[in-house]
Amino acid sequence: MDLDFGPAEEEFRAEVRAWLREHVPAEPLPSLETAEGFAAHRRWEGELSRARLSVVSWPEEYGGRGATPLQWLVFEEEYYAAGAPGRVTQNGINLLAPTLFKHGTPDQLARVLPPMASGEVIWAQAWSEPEAGSDLANLRATATRADGGWLLNGQKTWSSRAAFADRAFGVFRSDPAAERHRGLTYLMFPLDAEGVSVRPIGRLDGKPAFAELFLDEVFVPDEDVIGAPGDGWRVAMSTAGNERGLTLRSPGRFTAAAGRLVELWRERADPADTALRDRVADVWIAARAYRLKGFETISRTDDVGAEASLNKIFWSELDVALHETALDLLGPDGELAGEWLEGYVFSLAGPIYAGTNEIQRNVVAERVLGLPRVR
Amino acid sequence: MRFVLDAEQRMFAESLDRMLAGSKTPGAVRAWADGDSGPGRALWASIAGAGVFAVAVPEEYGGAGVLPVELVTAVHELGRHAVPGPVVETIAAAALLSRLGDEEWLPRVAGGTAMITLAVPYALDADVADLVLAVSGDELAAAAPGERLTSLDPARRLFRVTPGAVRASGEAVREAAAAAYDLGALACAAQQLGVGRALLDASVEYAGSRHQFGRPIGGFQAVAHHLSSALMALEFARPLVYGAALAYGTAEFARDVSAAKVACAEAAYAVAKTALQVHGAIGYTDEYDPSLWIRKARALHSAWGSPSDHRARLMAAL
């Protein structure tokens, strides 16, 4: 058992660190939940990708470097330690790309991945519907067979940054007679296609961070179906598993944020306030635990499976605690606009999206602990 | 990087687990609490035979060398099976004595023929230990057990001590005591993790078999979610224990031990509360075995430094 980085990781770390020191914008970019910020973040993704740093773990032919999982963790540590911008491409990179690597055709990989890596095409997800949130199998938007493809109809919602994104991916009911998890198909479609209307929705702080999508006879060619028609649930769940693993929120993000919290505590805290000090300590400990757990996860040779749900609960609760502690350290400034407040508002969504933490606790109970079916 | 136990380390844990599972430890724990140390001493001999104390003693004193990963792996199993006696204290004493060049006691610790306890500030099992030590400032003294104190965990027989003859003094004692404290706190964290794991396993089994309203209670979300949270707390405390073990001998060791101790103390205690709630009234009884672990989780919460002591130490290190 060891925690040692090899020369390949150290060399890679040095390269990434040097590049980031040179290129990370001195001033933070505007919020990526705004049109202006979205465009700035898209330009940043182009810069990253020209240095082949936007998708380091992908194969070289699609814009990556074939980095090992450990090198990817190293990249993430350096990225967030450098205070580099949030990843506007994250839905595509973290959710759609793993699905394509598992279920996509060579043609789909070649068409979709390179412009995703460069930020030319930014993806939104079209999962939830008004009647299908935690109960995703209850979805009703349809895909109907048409000549050479499918026609999409219905409504999707809570689609992150869909007001600014280029394309979307999601699951639709293709067999109206089938129930629940059967008869669903996974498709990709452009958000500027004829028949798509996008209505931005203000998030808790008013920023148009997500949107509703209304689909009226939107044509999707067969080549944009991922996996077999009717097999969408299985295809989607392979993405969901990824989402709950390490990729959506790498440990490096929390290691860096916990470090900044300790700095804030040094600058702002009353040394006599041991209650706040203890909360900072707990955040630092949790961030370290998540980092070490990440090293454990990539060291394992067996399938992590449903244990990935534990990661999702852990990081989302850690993220909220971290930002609450920061706001409390800021005292009267805690309610003022700034990076900590932005992070706080973002963190509040964590226990809800990517499968609520209640659903995740059900998954852990049934599939990790082996408890009876939970109701 | 390979941050999981290797095959040999896994086998070490599994063989200890098998041995202890066959030893009916709850009976030994109850006898220990009643002042009958016979079954506990027999357990001690068998864990020593398996090499548990050898990995806490340097080779020049007859041990296998200090192997922190093996050590926490072993103590985790002892915690799972609620093995009584001054296990953590003997390990810490070995760290102390090996830094002071003791040749008398260390070979006996490695061979399993010496139980040593330390006043931190109370001395665990001082009445049955072969040697009682107390450190004050830069003086190390042999001590005699004084007043017996009553712990929440009856298997933890605590004593005040009266220091006797000074065995060593000077700056070396201060440094050795600090090293002993760090290793003791880490071993205690591993023990707590094991206590928590045993309680979670017992609770999951109970929740799957106990029926109310015509269903196993583990099928109700209110119960299941407690158990999922308990698992999460333990799963994220464990890497901190092994991370600290790997930091042994580095400048970060004390800091990483404190992080592990806070997480394990809080996790084990939270799991114990969940175990009590899931078992309901039967869990609140002395005669039902989970009580042995439930009481220990609370008692150990403040042993070898409370969570607030370790949070303060961590923040000072940061």
Side-chain angles (χ1 to χ4, degrees), chain B residues 22-23 41 45 49-50 63 82 85 115 149 173 186 192 195 218-219 268:
Chain B
S23 303
R41 280 192 177 275
M115 278 184 187
L149 305 164
V173 169
L186 177 61
Q192 289 171 310
V195 166

Side-chain angles (χ1 to χ4, degrees), chain A residues 1-6 70 262 265-266 277-282 284-285 288-290 292-293 295-296 298-301 307 310-311 313-314 317 357-362 364-365 368-375, chain B residues 1-6 9 69 197 200 204 207-208 215-216 218-222 224-225 227-229 231-232 235-240 242-244 246-247 255-256 258-260 262-263 308 311-312 314-315 318:
Chain A
M1 187 182 227
D2 72 88
L3 274 169
D4 303 330
F5 296 100
L70 182 55
V262 171
W265 169 75
R266 272 200 219 102
R277 180 200 65 193
D278 285 358
R279 286 169 60 195
V280 175
D282 283 341
W284 190 89
I285 292 168
R288 175 170 165 80
Y290 189 58
L292 292 171
K293 185 79 176 165
F295 294 140
E296 183 188 278
I298 63 157
S299 299
R300 282 172 58 169
T301 48
E307 286 178 55
L310 288 171
N311 277 346
I313 304 168
F314 191 82
E317 294 183 353
N357 286 7
E358 285 71 23
I359 292 291
Q360 308 293 359
R361 282 184 164 87
N362 288 353
V364 171
V368 184
L369 293 174
L371 285 166
R373 195 173 155 70
V374 175
R375 280 160 61 198
Chain B
M1 159 135 16
R2 197 165 172 280
F3 191 51
V4 286
L5 292 179
D6 65 31
Q9 291 161 338
V69 171
R197 186 73 225 188
L200 177 62
V204 167
R215 297 200 323 201
F220 293 105
Q221 285 191 350
H225 286 190
L227 294 169
S228 296
S229 298
L231 176 67
M232 183 173 74
E235 279 294 305
F236 283 87
R238 188 189 55 238
L240 291 165
Y242 284 100
L246 289 171
R255 180 199 74 182
D256 293 353
S258 282
V262 170
S308 9
R311 287 187 182 102
L314 170 74
M315 293 306 286
L318 293 178

Side-chain angles (χ1 to χ4, degrees), chain B residues 39-292:
Chain B
R41 280 192 177 275
L43 267 182
W44 189 283
S46 47
I47 60 174
V52 169
F53 297 104
V55 296
V57 176
E59 280 173 292
E60 60 264 42
Y61 299 106
V66 181
L67 304 175
V69 171
E70 280 73 6
L71 197 61
V72 295
T73 301
V75 178
H76 175 258
E77 294 305 321
L78 305 187
R80 263 179 77 191
H81 293 280
V83 169
V87 171
V88 169
E89 290 67 22
T90 298
I91 290 166
L96 179 76
L97 294 174
S98 63
R99 279 165 180 76
L100 298 174
D102 171 277
E103 290 180 350
E104 182 191 352
W105 287 94
L106 290 170
R108 293 182 58 191
V109 168
T113 58
M115 278 184 187
I116 308 183
T117 193
L118 288 166
V120 279
Y122 308 123
L124 181 67
D125 304 316
D127 56 338
V128 293
D130 303 296
L131 175 65
V132 182
L133 296 172
V135 174
S136 171
D138 64 355
E139 279 190 351
L140 169 67
E147 182 195 354
R148 163 97 194 262
L149 305 164
T150 308
S151 167
L152 166 68
D153 176 3
R156 284 175 55 82
R157 303 166 61 84
L158 296 175
F159 293 83
R160 291 188 203 279
V161 300
T162 316
V166 173
R167 293 177 61 95
S169 61
E171 198 49 35
V173 169
R174 214 184 283 278
E175 283 167 21
Y181 181 79
D182 289 342
L183 196 64
L186 177 61
C188 186
Q191 184 186 16
Q192 289 171 310
L193 197 61
V195 166
R197 186 73 225 188
L199 284 168
L200 177 62
D201 291 345
S203 303
V204 167
E205 198 186 325
Y206 186 80
S209 58
R210 167 72 174 165
H211 283 64
Q212 288 287 273
F213 305 102
R215 297 200 323 201
I217 60 169
F220 293 105
Q221 285 191 350
V223 174
H225 286 190
H226 280 315
L227 294 169
S228 296
S229 298
L231 176 67
M232 183 173 74
L234 294 172
E235 279 294 305
F236 283 87
R238 188 189 55 238
L240 291 165
V241 170
Y242 284 100
L246 289 171
Y248 180 76
T250 73
E252 281 79 41
F253 184 56
R255 180 199 74 182
D256 293 353
V257 165
S258 282
K261 184 67 169 77
V262 170
C264 291
E266 299 292 18
Y269 181 49
V271 176
K273 287 197 288 185
T274 292
L276 178 58
Q277 193 67 21
V278 168
H279 281 88
I282 189 85
Y284 192 67
T285 62
D286 175 42
E287 68 179 42
Y288 195 60
D289 282 342
S291 65
L292 306 180

Side-chain angles (χ1 to χ4, degrees), chain A residues 100-128:
Chain A
L100 284 171
F101 282 123
K102 204 162 180 179
H103 303 281
T105 64
D107 163 68
Q108 287 172 335
L109 294 172
R111 270 192 299 124
V112 174
L113 295 178
M116 183 193 290
S118 66
E120 281 161 71
V121 175
I122 294 180
W123 291 82
Q125 54 171 320
W127 270 170
S128 299

Side-chain angles (χ1 to χ4, degrees), chain A residues 303-320:
Chain A
D303 185 9
V304 174
E307 286 178 55
S309 287
L310 288 171
N311 277 346
K312 196 268 162 169
I313 304 168
F314 191 82
W315 66 248
S316 59
E317 294 183 353
L318 159 60
D319 205 22
V320 173

